[in-house]
Amino acid sequence: MKKSLWITLGVVLLLVGVFVWYKYYFVFGEGVKSGYLNYAMKKGYVFKTYEGKLIQEGFGRGKTGTVTSYEFEFSVEDPEIFKQLETNSGKTFDLHYKEYNGALPWRGNTKFIVDKVVNMK
């Protein structure tokens, strides 16, 4: 009886561990987004995280032939990358990001984490 309880507990802990890894640490996708940096800021109540927004221009579902903008909200873990973004707000950036399945409070408010500045104009 005791042995089966320990086995069940071990299996449950293993499943919880796999779920947490998949939800918060598995990189679902990665790529590069380009656009004008709208803002970069440090915010949070308990965990101060670096957040930003990129405005992408393109053709959307608005009126035919009109230009609409798309917003890409992201978080940054590296203070050096954040400093580069903060001092160059309003410029055009190509940002490499990783997409996770969920956000962690100490990593940022979004599931998109920028890990590299590819290009800045």
Side-chain angles (χ1 to χ4, degrees):
M1 183 70 174
K2 248 185 177 183
K3 187 176 182 178
S4 65
L5 179 66
W6 283 109
I7 291 173
T8 304
L9 182 63
V11 169
V12 167
L13 286 175
L14 180 66
L15 291 175
V16 167
V18 168
F19 172 76
V20 167
W21 172 80
Y22 178 75
K23 180 77 174 164
Y24 299 108
Y25 295 99
F26 173 72
V27 177
F28 177 70
E30 59 183 297
V32 175
K33 294 266 188 182
S34 299
Y36 295 99
L37 184 64
N38 189 11
Y39 66 78
M41 66 180 162
K42 183 178 181 180
K43 70 178 190 176
Y45 293 110
V46 177
F47 299 104
K48 298 293 184 187
T49 59
Y50 304 116
E51 309 296 328
K53 184 190 288 186
L54 206 64
I55 304 296
Q56 303 172 286
E57 292 182 355
F59 294 99
R61 291 187 181 180
K63 296 178 184 176
T64 307
T66 61
V67 177
T68 59
S69 67
Y70 300 97
E71 297 176 348
F72 173 61
E73 293 189 11
F74 59 89
S75 301
V76 179
E77 284 185 300
D78 187 355
E80 292 300 317
I81 294 173
F82 174 73
K83 187 176 252 184
Q84 185 178 8
L85 294 173
E86 184 181 41
T87 57
N88 294 292
S89 185
K91 293 187 178 178
T92 302
F93 282 89
D94 297 334
L95 301 176
H96 183 269
Y97 68 93
K98 291 182 180 177
E99 179 182 0
Y100 296 90
N101 290 316
L104 290 169
W106 53 87
R107 188 167 61 195
N109 292 333
T110 69
K111 54 186 189 171
F112 298 102
I113 307 298
V114 168
D115 61 352
K116 186 177 5 175
V117 174
V118 178
N119 192 11
M120 179 182 67
K121 301 174 201 155

